[in-house]
């Protein structure tokens, strides 16, 4: 096991997809990288629906070993109406724990020192990072520690709006190639989903924070309904949940006492405010953050601002549209037309935005 460096070039907080990719990119460039995570195991507990767009293959071409199945279409149901089919709508259902472990191995293979069961003790105003009662002062700090990032909070970048999600794993009566979406005024600020993983499905609901107290009953009702239809089994195999940031992109560059700080993934507010998707943007932004760290430490003065601009180029159009639709829905009421206009599978979502 590698010894911890006394003064690492880069400390990465969080070893999800964003942190692992950042650590790998920085270490591959020859930097000394220490990456930590408070969890005991990569990717566990699973706190996402595990669906990624098939275009993620362009970033990570070897996903087959961590893929449970592929999907080819989406079925969207608005209240009791018949399903609207969107095809093609290709995706991959990951084994998220295996996916995260695979990315961590790549970071370690690149030379990063990766440590689990290692919570962040704190970030001081001078840029020092406290880990296991030891203070380290990196040359650059990368926050990839999720929607309620402590690194982001240290530089005043905080996600302010959240959806609360609850998800269970249930048996599927038969395999399916479609992702199911359930839109309803009963799910304010969110939606329901059933995503297939072979003979098991991830069944979940997300709602705005004001409605989070109803999540358990809402999900139970959806589960009961699908079980009565013979689509899913009645036994709950696993349960998870957590917050999803939906307030939009944060400026991802800051400083603490001369230590430069970058944010990536959920910590940078890159989760899609409508769909809640965040794995692909975490992978992309993490790799960019690691490369920007290497370039800046290598002497390219504009590398960190370039990172912020590249994030904006990649994500702002999509996130801005989603935020606009989210605000429209909240202001107009959730009738069937409004629900369709606020969902990515419908042409109305992509229509010209009103002022």
């Amino acid at each position: 096991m590698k010894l911890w460096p006394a003064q690492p070039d880069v400390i990465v907080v969080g070893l999800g997809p964003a942190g692992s990719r950042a650590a790998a990119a920085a270490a591959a460039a020859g930097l000394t990288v220490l990456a930590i995570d408070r969890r005991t195991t990569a990717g566990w507990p699973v706190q996402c629906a595990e669906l990624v767009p098939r275009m993620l293959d362009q970033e990570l071409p070897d996903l087959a070993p961590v893929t449970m199945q592929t999907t080819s279409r989406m079925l969207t149901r608005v209240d009791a109406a018949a399903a609207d089919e969107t095809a093609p709508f290709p995706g991959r259902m990951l084994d998220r724990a295996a996916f995260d472990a695979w990315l961590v191995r790549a970071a370690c293979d690149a030379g990063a020192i990766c440590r689990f069961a290692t919570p962040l003790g704190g970030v001081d105003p001078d840029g020092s990072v406290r880990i296991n009662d030891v203070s380290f002062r990196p040359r650059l700090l990368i926050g990839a520690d999720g929607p309620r990032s402590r690194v982001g909070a240290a530089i005043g970048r905080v996600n302010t709006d959240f959806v609360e999600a609850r998800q269970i794993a249930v048996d599927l009566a038969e395999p399916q190639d479609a992702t199911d979406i359930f839109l309803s005024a009963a799910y304010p600020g969110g939606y329901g989903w059933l995503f297939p993983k072979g003979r098991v499905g991830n069944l979940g609901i997300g709602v705005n924070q004001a409605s989070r107290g109803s999540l358990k009953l809402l999900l139970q009702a959806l589960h009961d309904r699908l079980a009565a239809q013979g689509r899913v089994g009645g036994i709950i195999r696993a349960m998870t949940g957590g917050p999803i940031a939906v307030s939009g992109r944060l400026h991802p560059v800051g400083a603490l006492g001369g230590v430069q700080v970058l944010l990536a993934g959920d910590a940078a507010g890159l989760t899609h405010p409508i769909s809640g998707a965040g794995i692909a943007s975490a992978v992309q932004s993490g790799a960019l953050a690691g490369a920007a760290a290497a370039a800046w430490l290598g002497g390219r003065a504009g590398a960190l601002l370039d990172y912020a601009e590249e994030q904006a180029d990649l994500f702002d159009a999509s996130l801005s549209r989603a935020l606009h639709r989210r605000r429209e829905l909240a202001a107009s009421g959730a009738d069937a037309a409004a629900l369709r206009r606020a969902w990515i599978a419908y042409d109305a979502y992509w229509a010209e935005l009103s002022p």
Side-chain angles (χ1 to χ4, degrees):
M1 181 179 290
K2 290 184 179 179
L3 296 176
W4 289 24
Q7 187 177 12
D9 294 318
V10 176
I11 289 179
V12 179
V13 181
L15 275 166
S20 294
R21 291 284 282 171
L31 300 179
T32 303
V33 179
L34 172 60
I36 62 169
D37 197 294
R38 61 182 175 81
R39 298 171 298 172
T40 58
T41 306
W44 189 261
V46 174
Q47 291 183 296
C48 77
E50 301 179 288
L51 176 69
V52 296
R54 206 84 62 85
M55 64 183 179
L56 186 60
D57 295 9
Q58 298 171 17
E59 294 283 329
L60 299 170
D62 302 316
L63 287 172
V66 295
T67 298
M68 300 297 292
Q69 75 163 80
T70 58
T71 58
S72 59
R73 59 201 178 106
M74 177 176 284
L75 300 174
T76 305
R77 294 170 172 83
V78 180
D79 291 319
D84 299 313
E85 180 177 7
T86 306
F89 205 99
R92 285 185 180 272
M93 283 299 297
L94 298 175
D95 177 334
R96 178 61 192 272
F99 175 70
D100 280 26
W102 176 60
L103 293 180
V104 170
R105 285 195 298 272
C108 294
D109 290 345
I113 300 170
C114 301
R115 295 289 183 265
F116 286 88
T118 306
L120 173 68
V123 181
D124 295 331
D126 68 349
S128 297
V129 178
R130 286 176 276 120
I131 306 169
N132 290 346
D133 298 322
V134 178
S135 184
F136 298 83
R137 196 165 189 273
R139 298 168 67 194
L140 188 142
L141 174 61
I142 297 177
D145 49 336
R148 291 197 168 104
S149 169
R150 294 178 67 189
V151 175
I155 59 170
R157 311 287 156 70
V158 179
N159 291 301
T160 56
D161 192 12
F162 296 89
V163 161
E164 294 290 332
R166 186 181 182 97
Q167 177 176 277
I168 56 177
V170 294
D171 296 328
L172 296 177
E174 58 184 33
Q176 62 186 61
D177 68 339
T179 52
D180 282 276
I181 299 296
F182 305 94
L183 304 180
S184 173
Y187 309 150
Y191 64 96
W193 63 87
L194 176 63
F195 294 164
K197 293 173 59 180
R199 297 307 298 260
V200 175
N202 288 339
L203 178 64
I205 291 177
V207 296
N208 59 30
Q209 286 186 294
S211 303
R212 64 184 182 274
S214 64
L215 257 180
K216 181 179 180 180
L217 292 178
L218 288 171
L219 183 53
Q220 180 180 319
L222 179 58
H223 183 200
D224 289 347
R225 188 171 90 222
L226 296 182
Q229 294 171 0
R231 296 192 59 196
V232 305
I235 297 174
I236 296 174
R237 302 293 182 185
M239 182 180 296
T240 188
I244 301 169
V246 292
S247 42
R249 189 175 70 87
L250 303 170
H251 184 63
V253 179
L256 290 167
V259 174
Q260 298 299 307
V261 181
L262 302 181
L263 302 178
D266 291 358
L270 300 182
T271 312
H272 195 276
I274 290 290
S275 69
I279 297 176
S281 57
V283 165
Q284 288 180 289
S285 62
L288 291 173
W296 187 80
L297 292 172
R300 185 155 68 85
L304 304 188
L305 289 180
D306 289 347
Y307 170 63
E309 290 176 2
E310 195 157 7
Q311 261 204 23
D313 290 344
L314 281 172
F315 304 117
D316 275 4
S318 174
L319 296 179
S320 295
R321 175 176 291 274
L323 285 169
H324 187 97
R325 294 301 189 206
R326 188 172 184 82
R327 288 191 292 266
E328 278 185 341
L329 184 62
S332 66
D335 61 22
L339 289 168
R340 288 185 171 91
R341 189 167 56 250
W343 182 246
I344 58 173
Y346 291 106
D347 290 342
Y349 178 86
W350 302 101
E352 184 176 352
L353 299 177
S354 58

